[in-house]
Amino acid sequence: MAQTGKNPVVTLAEKGSWWRMMLAVITSLVLVGISIWVVVSAYKNVERQRDLAFEKEAEAAVDLIGDRVTYLMGQVSGMRSFLVSTDVNSTKWRDYILATDVETKFPEAFSFVYAERVERKNLDEFVKKLKKQEAGNTIYENYVVFPETPQEEMFPVKYLYTQDTEMTPLLGYDLVAIEKAAGIESEKVVRGEQVVSDLIYLKSMVSSSNRRGYAFILPVFTHFGMLEQNPEEKLKYFTGFFAAWISPEKLFGANMVDTPEAVQDFSVFDNSNEVWRSKNRKFDGVVTKKLRVFNKEFVLEFKKPVNYRVSGFGEAVPLMVLFGVVGVNLMWYLTLLSVWLSRRSAVWMAMEATKDLNKFKQAVEGVSDHVVITDVDGRILYANKAVEGITGFSRSEIIGKTPALWGGLMEKEFYEKMWKVIKINKQPYYGELRNKRKNGEIYDAEIHVSPIVDEKGDLAFFVGIERDVSKVKAVDRMKTEFLSIASHQLRTPLSAVKWFGRMLLDGDAGKLSKEQKKYVEQINQSNDREIQRVNALLNVSRIESGRIVVTPKETDFYQLIDSVISELSVGIENEKKKISFSRPKRDLMINIDPDLIQHVLSNLISNALRYSASGQIVRVEVEIEGKIVKVSVVDKGIGIPEEQQQRVFDKFFRATNALKVVTDGSGLGLYLVKTIILSSGGQVGFISEENKGSTFWFTLPLSGMEKKEGEVKLS
Ligand code: ADP
């Protein structure tokens, strides 16, 4: 078979693999892209959640700070009412402050100041009165109003409560002097509005101090309800300021106590100046919130810590997504790998299988026997090279046709029988037939057809092997012809010898002496044996050259056996051998060819006699078994050596022990027996043991033998 350079399976696999690989690569890229996008989105999402959460916390922190400042303002505002009562002095005032819990909310934070409104002309009287009121209080012993200013109206500090010693020099300070610097809008104050100052640097009042702070300033009126009055009216009752002074550190820092850790890093801006920063941590984002206290707006900048995390499940999501995505990717690549590996092994297996298949095909192609594979209807699917050689048809002419292309010469029954065996019984068929080549030449063939069934037992196809045996047959025919000619040629002189011998014994050539007669009788006996042998040869050649003529007729079976026995009994008395015959009582009439069956019986019984020692009995037994009759010939003779038993029915076979006892056998008797019985629809066989004896048997159907038109009769 022509071999292409490359394995077709591999070529096929390679063809499909390019676009499959591209698809795998594109899918992988898309998968990687989607994976990255999903993971990045998850991380972005958690960052957004962090921002939102931080913003919320910042809002809550601002609210908290606002609440506290509002609380503070409430407290301070409350203190004003105390100041309007008549018998206030610095001690009572201090006690009052201590009684409030401002200190607990803002520990060591405040300086509380009361600055009274004094007209210049009343200044001396104010100082005198105050000293008198505070007599015994050493702080007031040297009380003076300072610094010198040209204003008509002054606001000297009358009471000062502070825990900060740096603040104490402020007692007596005229707050009008720092009005501008402190951003105290007295007009607003006078109008009854609450005011938060700009950041005051204490240095401007007390040069030794570095303090700074905001003043929460509230006007004090002698009458309540002043806030609703018009400005001029109000001014009549305006007695001074009440101010709470607090540094940004304390104001905002104190408020951090209850705020969550995450929002504890923040800056406070006042008019874009950073006035305070709580911590100095690393941050990665800022949330800005506004806090309004009266007239003042603070800007709080919360610094989101770098390690800020949302609480709960949210933080775990990106990692889970990452794991999930890695898992999906891993599964994808593992799947790809396993598909690739299984494809590889499939291709490898297919390659191996094709190799085997190719070898097998080459072998089938190369055999000299003709091999065809047909479908169940006999249509040819495959034919090897030998088919072309034997039939002369080319494969293109053969494929799709049936073997009738070169067959069809046999009788219809032959093909019907063959189809029955292979298609209905699903059994192999073996037979010989004659076919015709494309050039019209007839040839003999041995065929062997095997039905192949699938796993369900249904017919799949047929494999037919045909061997051209024309040459063998021709040689056989030549042999048979030679045998026939030779035996005919031999028989003629033997017949002449017999005829002249008879004449001599009959005295046609004069009376023979006793001795002469004896010799001639011996010549005649030897001649008879020779004639028998030649007849056997002739019968063989006749059987092989054509079919035996079978002419069945109603025959008394036991009478036939009796006649054979009596014929053979002549001449065995001297050897003291006997033949016994046992049979069923009822007579048996059977439709057989008496000549052929007599030939069989005579062969078997004469063998039994020949290979038995003198004095022994040969038994002939007949039994009816169902639809057959069985005849057995039993002897106690030399038997047949076991290793030679399978060749007993072969042409010219003679066992080694028989050769020693009887030298002149032909080895053709049993061959003829077998041929006759098998062609009569019966069976033949034997059992034998060396030196113990043999039993040869044959059967015939009780229905009788079938008539056969043949060309030859046995002699
Ligand atoms: P033959 O002329 O030699 O008897 P057959 O064909 O009749 O030829 O028998 C073939 C051989 O089978 C014999 O030579 C003998 O060896 C063996 N044989 C046949 N019948 C018997 C028997 N009854 N007992 C022993 N051997 C037998």
Side-chain angles (χ1 to χ4, degrees):
M1 193 187 63
Q3 279 281 70
T4 48
K6 214 161 178 195
N7 189 321
V9 174
V10 179
T11 321
L12 201 74
E14 279 171 357
K15 249 190 197 175
S17 68
W18 186 86
W19 67 262
R20 233 182 258 122
M21 209 159 83
M22 281 309 291
L23 197 70
V25 168
I26 291 169
T27 314
S28 304
L29 287 176
V30 169
L31 187 67
V32 167
I34 291 174
S35 305
I36 292 171
W37 179 79
V38 166
V39 172
V40 167
S41 303
Y43 273 100
K44 274 193 177 155
N45 183 52
V46 81
E47 258 167 36
R48 215 175 45 243
Q49 279 187 26
R50 283 180 200 156
D51 286 347
L52 283 174
F54 186 72
E55 175 131 15
K56 262 192 178 169
E57 288 204 56
E59 224 155 64
V62 170
D63 283 351
L64 194 73
I65 296 167
D67 284 353
R68 284 169 183 269
V69 174
T70 310
Y71 168 83
L72 168 69
M73 294 319 293
Q75 289 291 328
V76 175
S77 185
M79 287 175 201
R80 279 188 306 174
S81 54
F82 175 75
L83 282 165
V84 280
S85 60
T86 46
D87 59 341
V88 178
N89 63 19
S90 67
T91 316
K92 280 186 183 168
W93 187 67
R94 204 195 77 214
D95 291 346
Y96 177 73
I97 288 169
L98 289 175
T100 68
D101 61 350
V102 175
E103 280 267 309
T104 49
K105 290 271 181 201
F106 299 87
E108 300 174 17
F110 286 98
S111 295
F112 292 99
V113 168
Y114 175 60
E116 195 160 285
R117 183 186 180 206
V118 184
E119 282 182 53
R120 182 167 288 279
K121 57 181 185 198
N122 297 333
L123 184 66
D124 289 342
E125 195 191 337
F126 163 75
V127 173
K128 218 165 115 190
K129 209 170 156 190
L130 180 65
K131 281 195 172 175
K132 191 179 163 200
Q133 179 198 306
E134 298 292 331
N137 189 341
T138 51
I139 303 165
Y140 284 90
E141 276 170 13
N142 300 315
Y143 184 86
V144 283
V145 175
F146 67 101
E148 284 290 335
T149 54
Q151 273 87 353
E152 274 305 302
E153 208 166 55
M154 311 165 93
F155 286 90
V157 174
K158 189 177 180 185
Y159 302 131
L160 172 69
Y161 168 78
T162 183
Q163 294 201 358
D164 182 354
T165 48
E166 280 187 26
M167 294 292 285
T168 37
L170 270 186
L171 194 67
Y173 190 87
D174 178 6
L175 286 178
V176 177
I178 57 150
E179 184 179 347
K180 223 171 179 190
I184 300 166
E185 297 171 79
S186 57
E187 266 179 43
K188 266 192 187 171
V189 174
V190 167
R191 278 205 307 272
E193 288 175 30
Q194 296 160 338
V195 169
V196 178
S197 73
D198 285 340
L199 194 61
I200 300 169
Y201 286 84
L202 209 57
K203 206 179 268 179
S204 60
M205 295 173 263
V206 184
S207 56
S208 60
S209 176
N210 283 323
R211 293 275 188 275
R212 51 180 207 152
Y214 287 102
F216 292 79
I217 298 167
L218 297 109
V220 179
F221 300 97
T222 50
H223 285 72
F224 294 111
M226 278 303 114
L227 297 174
E228 291 85 41
Q229 296 295 331
N230 67 46
E232 275 119 80
E233 250 339 84
K234 264 199 225 170
L235 216 54
K236 283 189 202 165
Y237 307 104
F238 178 42
T239 60
F241 300 124
F242 177 67
W245 195 90
I246 185 165
S247 69
E249 292 80 13
K250 298 282 180 187
L251 179 63
F252 298 106
N255 286 300
M256 283 166 57
V257 177
D258 294 332
T259 46
E261 159 64 25
V263 283
Q264 285 189 6
D265 186 4
F266 63 96
S267 293
V268 180
F269 290 88
D270 175 8
N271 289 325
S272 323
N273 299 317
E274 191 181 54
V275 292
W276 185 72
R277 164 107 195 238
S278 60
K279 294 192 175 179
N280 216 352
R281 301 193 295 207
K282 277 195 176 169
F283 63 94
D284 65 357
V286 166
V287 169
T288 305
K289 294 280 159 199
K290 286 179 177 163
L291 175 67
R292 191 163 191 90
V293 185
F294 305 149
N295 57 317
K296 194 151 207 74
E297 190 175 75
F298 294 100
V299 174
L300 275 68
E301 228 180 56
F302 290 91
K303 315 267 164 43
K304 184 157 75 72
V306 258
N307 59 353
Y308 182 75
R309 298 286 177 265
V310 284
S311 55
F313 189 61
E315 284 293 340
V317 171
L319 209 64
M320 281 161 65
V321 168
L322 183 71
F323 277 130
V325 162
V326 168
V328 167
N329 273 271
L330 219 64
M331 266 164 67
W332 165 249
Y333 289 111
L334 281 176
T335 311
L336 270 189
L337 188 73
S338 81
V339 166
W340 181 72
L341 284 176
S342 58
R343 265 186 65 77
R344 247 177 67 125
S345 73
V347 168
W348 184 82
M349 267 155 44
M351 274 168 64
E352 287 301 302
T354 7
K355 265 193 222 161
D356 281 356
L357 206 66
N358 279 340
K359 268 188 227 153
F360 180 70
K361 238 181 138 182
Q362 274 173 304
V364 176
E365 275 294 304
V367 292
S368 57
D369 286 352
H370 131 161
V371 179
V372 290
I373 297 173
T374 76
D375 66 12
V376 289
D377 298 319
R379 268 186 300 273
I380 298 165
L381 307 170
Y382 167 80
N384 73 349
K385 200 153 182 57
V387 180
E388 290 182 326
I390 294 175
T391 65
F393 290 100
S394 72
R395 272 189 265 196
S396 55
E397 290 171 305
I398 291 167
I399 302 295
K401 309 272 171 44
T402 69
L405 186 63
W406 56 84
L409 299 186
M410 307 296 284
E411 282 154 17
K412 217 171 124 211
E413 294 82 56
F414 174 87
Y415 299 108
E416 278 172 0
K417 190 178 162 202
M418 182 178 82
W419 273 109
K420 187 172 170 270
V421 172
I422 60 173
K423 201 162 179 176
I424 297 170
N425 303 349
K426 295 175 191 165
Q427 294 289 324
Y429 179 84
Y430 174 79
E432 285 184 12
L433 77 173
R434 301 171 85 200
N435 283 334
K436 194 155 113 188
R437 299 190 220 280
K438 193 182 177 185
N439 61 11
E441 192 188 326
I442 309 286
Y443 67 97
D444 291 301
E446 259 175 27
I447 59 159
H448 198 282
V449 186
S450 302
I452 307 296
V453 291
D454 60 21
E455 53 288 350
K456 280 189 248 153
D458 294 336
L459 269 181
F461 51 87
F462 295 113
V463 178
I465 300 172
E466 188 183 296
R467 178 171 291 176
D468 184 349
V469 291
S470 304
K471 282 187 188 140
V472 181
K473 286 270 168 188
V475 171
D476 242 30
R477 266 197 295 276
M478 276 160 68
K479 270 197 325 200
T480 311
E481 270 165 31
F482 167 76
L483 214 61
S484 170
I485 292 164
S487 31
H488 270 113
Q489 297 287 337
L490 283 169
R491 223 162 64 143
T492 316
L494 289 174
S495 301
V497 169
K498 185 176 177 167
W499 185 62
F500 284 117
R502 197 75 264 147
M503 280 171 71
L504 280 174
L505 285 174
D506 287 351
D508 290 359
K511 202 170 170 357
L512 300 179
S513 68
K514 213 174 173 185
E515 207 165 357
Q516 283 172 329
K517 203 174 174 184
K518 193 179 143 199
Y519 290 147
V520 174
E521 267 170 1
Q522 274 175 0
I523 290 170
N524 259 2
Q525 274 172 19
S526 295
N527 191 47
D528 275 349
R529 279 204 295 278
E530 206 51 46
I531 288 172
Q532 265 176 27
R533 218 170 291 147
V534 171
N535 274 345
L537 271 177
L538 207 55
N539 282 337
V540 169
S541 72
R542 279 168 178 169
I543 276 178
E544 291 188 344
S545 61
R547 288 160 301 163
I548 320 166
V549 181
V550 180
T551 323
K553 60 176 175 217
E554 192 85 341
T555 309
D556 185 334
F557 195 56
Y558 303 138
Q559 204 178 36
L560 180 72
I561 298 172
D562 273 335
S563 71
V564 175
I565 292 173
S566 3
E567 201 176 304
L568 293 173
S569 299
V570 182
I572 56 169
E573 291 91 7
N574 328 346
E575 299 177 37
K576 298 195 179 108
K577 291 178 186 169
K578 273 186 188 156
I579 305 169
S580 75
F581 178 34
S582 73
R583 44 159 278 199
K585 273 195 184 132
R586 274 183 67 182
D587 283 350
L588 176 64
M589 294 304 289
I590 184 166
N591 210 25
I592 50 170
D593 184 324
D595 290 344
L596 292 178
I597 299 305
Q598 188 205 8
H599 206 89
V600 169
L601 286 164
S602 151
N603 253 299
L604 295 181
I605 299 169
S606 61
N607 273 350
L609 289 169
R610 242 179 335 155
Y611 299 113
S612 299
S614 55
Q616 287 186 338
I617 299 176
V618 169
R619 287 187 285 127
V620 179
E621 291 167 4
V622 177
E623 294 157 287
I624 308 286
E625 293 176 355
K627 289 181 177 172
I628 55 164
V629 54
K630 184 177 181 185
V631 180
S632 308
V633 180
V634 188
D635 68 60
K636 300 238 181 283
I638 61 169
I640 302 162
E642 201 183 333
E643 67 281 1
Q644 297 173 28
Q645 287 187 2
Q646 82 231 37
R647 289 163 49 216
V648 163
F649 291 105
D650 287 357
K651 246 187 283 179
F652 303 114
F653 168 76
R654 299 212 62 215
T656 43
N657 59 345
L659 279 169
K660 287 178 201 156
V661 185
V662 182
T663 46
D664 61 348
S666 67
L668 292 172
L670 288 180
Y671 172 73
L672 284 171
V673 165
K674 187 179 179 183
T675 313
I676 291 164
I677 294 298
L678 292 187
S679 70
S680 307
Q683 285 182 330
V684 63
F686 72 98
I687 44 169
S688 181
E689 202 177 328
E690 203 175 354
N691 300 323
K692 292 253 167 80
S694 313
T695 299
F696 278 82
W697 58 264
F698 70 91
T699 63
L700 284 173
L702 286 174
S703 54
M705 289 160 76
E706 277 174 31
K707 186 178 165 71
K708 278 191 184 148
E709 299 289 342
E711 288 157 18
V712 284
K713 257 186 106 61
L714 299 186
S715 47

